[in-house]
Amino acid sequence: MSEATRPATKSKVLEVRDLTKTFKVPAGKDGKTQLRALDGISLDLARGETLGLVGESGCGKSTLARTLMMLERPDDGTVSWDGVDPYTLGSKDMLALRRRVQMVFQDPYASLNARMTAGEIVSEPWRTHKTLYKSKRDRAARVRELLHLVGLRPSDEHRSPQEFSGGQRQRLGIARALALNPSVVICDEPVSALDLSVQAQVLNLLNDLQKELGISYIFISHDLSVVRHVADRVAVMYLGRIVETGPTETVFDKPLHPYTEALMSAAPTLDPSTRRTRIILEGEVPSPLNPPSGCRFRTRCVHATTECAESAPPVATEVPPGKSIRAELSEPTHVAECFHPRNSVALGIPTAVG
């Protein structure tokens, strides 16, 4: 996004601190049965902001999304939506809070019920949240408004999902996500199943909706070029932890963490002056059943030293030119968990990533 389209307000709609989530699984060869999918996740989301969430398959992105959607209960840590911890609420208040956080799923072919019409799909959330649009007339009018809002025709309400193209189906999924007037939409690989030309249409739609409605997005994607296009900030996940967070252009152009550096070296670019030498990571991602000691990335990192194995890495914070260290300490903008941060003179600062 350009500076002109970035949200003016910086108030936080979401704060996550030290979030952990463990699953019990059948014992492996080492006899361990506890899989720690999330291990101390901390992040913030500002109102009207898009936070890109990137990382390899199995790093915990989907588990984080399900936990933020209140579909999974964390083992430890806190989640705060506008200052409210959802896991302290009763069922009635929890239901009301769920309205404010919705999701757009990856596969527009599997996420829509083939036995329902478009109008029934969009209005289905109101069957649970009965306080919205109580009369049939109001619901019908709102369905047509939502279809128009996402670029479909109001008359499409009578069509079944099989009659739509992939891009149209994803627009329908977005309309359903907007039916409850959410403040945050979690987009889980929302364009990965679409052709490139259709991807651009859906991404532009999401951007237009954000400008019009002030929605915040958590945008999960493997496609770094898409993330660079849509996100204001980027959080990089590796093996259950967020290892780097910062403004999108800064993270792409001046990554601090060696893992981020490797990821960004693979990001396509049309500008020959910005192309990097491709960094090929050695080895496989360790099992979350038996993660490495100290830094999770050390077994694949060419910069790893003894201290990387002995203790958890500190949080390194880049101090941009022209800013004082004191100001940067109080409100970090680009941070990474690393003993040996790259591309910048960095400081070890004991503060949460977010």
Side-chain angles (χ1 to χ4, degrees):
M1 291 185 179
S2 67
E3 291 297 329
T5 62
R6 293 186 190 279
T9 178
K10 294 296 182 181
S11 62
K12 296 176 183 177
V13 66
L14 169 67
E15 292 183 72
V16 178
R17 294 292 178 268
D18 302 320
L19 199 68
T20 64
K21 178 62 183 178
T22 303
F23 295 99
K24 191 170 184 179
V25 298
K29 293 181 180 179
D30 56 6
K32 294 187 177 181
T33 61
Q34 297 295 319
L35 187 154
R36 180 161 286 196
L38 304 178
D39 189 14
I41 296 292
S42 294
L43 60 84
D44 296 328
L45 180 67
R47 206 171 302 279
E49 177 188 44
T50 298
L51 175 66
L53 189 61
V54 301
E56 294 172 274
S57 295
C59 70
K61 300 189 301 295
S62 294
T63 299
L64 177 58
R66 288 180 57 82
T67 305
L68 297 180
M69 285 285 296
M70 295 161 274
L71 300 175
E72 300 283 356
R73 180 175 288 272
D75 301 330
D76 202 359
T78 60
V79 176
S80 176
W81 291 105
D82 280 327
V84 177
D85 184 346
Y87 300 103
T88 64
L89 302 177
S91 57
K92 184 177 179 180
D93 291 332
M94 173 75 89
L95 181 64
L97 185 61
R98 286 184 191 277
R99 284 177 43 189
R100 296 160 58 185
V101 190
Q102 296 297 303
M103 180 175 280
V104 176
F105 297 93
Q106 177 178 0
D107 188 350
Y109 294 89
S111 61
L112 303 178
N113 191 332
R115 298 187 179 186
M116 300 173 69
T117 66
E120 290 170 338
I121 289 170
V122 173
S123 62
E124 185 180 19
W126 302 330
R127 295 171 59 185
T128 301
H129 299 269
K130 302 180 186 299
T131 57
L132 290 177
Y133 313 111
K134 295 182 180 180
S135 74
K136 289 184 179 180
R137 177 179 296 180
D138 289 344
R139 291 188 178 194
R142 183 56 176 161
V143 165
R144 290 190 289 271
E145 287 176 5
L146 287 168
L147 292 176
H148 177 72
L149 185 64
V150 299
L152 297 174
R153 296 173 301 180
S155 59
D156 287 336
E157 63 176 320
H158 302 297
R159 300 170 64 190
S160 64
Q162 296 91 319
E163 298 177 71
F164 292 101
S165 67
Q168 288 174 323
R169 291 186 189 208
Q170 199 60 299
R171 289 173 184 267
L172 185 55
I174 294 170
R176 177 178 59 186
L178 297 178
L180 296 176
N181 305 318
S183 55
V184 177
V185 175
I186 299 175
C187 302
D188 190 1
E189 300 275 5
V191 297
S192 63
L194 305 176
D195 294 337
L196 286 178
S197 60
V198 180
Q199 285 186 15
Q201 295 172 17
V202 172
L203 293 174
N204 289 335
L205 170 63
L206 290 171
N207 188 41
D208 291 342
L209 291 172
Q210 186 174 59
K211 291 178 184 177
E212 183 174 347
L213 304 175
I215 301 171
S216 301
Y217 293 129
I218 296 178
F219 195 96
I220 301 171
S221 180
H222 286 86
D223 192 328
L224 297 176
S225 61
V226 168
V227 171
R228 187 165 194 166
H229 176 70
V230 304
D232 297 296
R233 289 188 305 121
V234 176
V236 181
M237 285 193 72
Y238 185 81
L239 209 61
R241 291 194 62 84
I242 291 180
V243 297
E244 183 162 357
T245 308
T248 301
E249 294 303 317
T250 304
V251 172
F252 271 78
D253 294 338
K254 293 178 60 181
L256 291 176
H257 198 282
Y259 175 64
T260 308
E261 187 180 32
L263 280 184
M264 299 311 166
S265 75
T269 176
L270 297 177
D271 184 356
S273 65
T274 62
R275 291 178 184 171
R276 299 189 183 96
T277 301
R278 179 73 184 272
I279 300 173
I280 306 297
L281 296 177
E282 300 291 335
E284 300 292 329
V285 180
S287 169
L289 279 169
N290 189 26
S293 61
C295 174
R296 296 291 178 88
F297 184 62
R298 67 175 177 79
T299 57
R300 304 173 73 193
C301 181
V302 297
H303 309 289
T305 58
T306 302
E307 63 183 343
C308 300
E310 293 176 344
S311 59
V315 175
T317 299
E318 180 189 18
V319 180
K323 285 195 175 183
S324 69
I325 292 177
R326 182 175 299 277
E328 193 63 22
L329 279 170
S330 64
E331 194 170 335
T333 58
H334 185 196
V335 294
E337 293 185 341
C338 188
F339 282 106
H340 310 290
R342 318 302 301 161
N343 293 330
S344 153
V345 176
L347 303 174
I349 298 175
T351 182
V353 176

